[in-house]
Amino acid sequence: DARFRDQIALLMIDNGHQYVCAVRGCGAHTGLTIDHVVPLSRGGTDSLDNLQFMCARHNSEKGDSSP
């Protein structure tokens, strides 16, 4: 649901997340997705400290991997 994603994005920004792709050197600030740093399938959670903004390209490339 888009409204729920918008609320999560605002919470992330309020908690200090920069609204820019988390991949160093990317700099994208439009068309961002919300990514789990540690994917849920690998034991990650929906907590704010496990979420980051990523552009669609980098999120797709990352897939189900962890840093």
Side-chain angles (χ1 to χ4, degrees):
D1 170 301
R3 203 166 104 185
F4 179 71
R5 280 191 304 272
D6 290 346
Q7 290 173 343
I8 295 297
L10 289 174
L11 279 172
M12 290 170 66
I13 292 167
D14 285 348
N15 281 277
H17 288 75
Q18 296 293 311
Y19 193 71
V20 64
C21 180
V23 174
R24 181 172 291 209
C26 177
H29 59 274
T30 59
L32 297 178
T33 62
I34 296 174
D35 173 65
H36 290 87
V37 177
V38 178
L40 296 174
S41 63
R42 298 192 179 268
T45 68
D46 286 326
S47 65
L48 290 176
D49 62 343
N50 190 44
L51 299 177
Q52 62 185 356
F53 292 111
M54 289 183 92
C55 68
R57 182 183 129 219
H58 285 124
N59 196 349
S60 178
E61 288 175 358
K62 178 182 177 242
D64 193 26
S65 63
S66 298

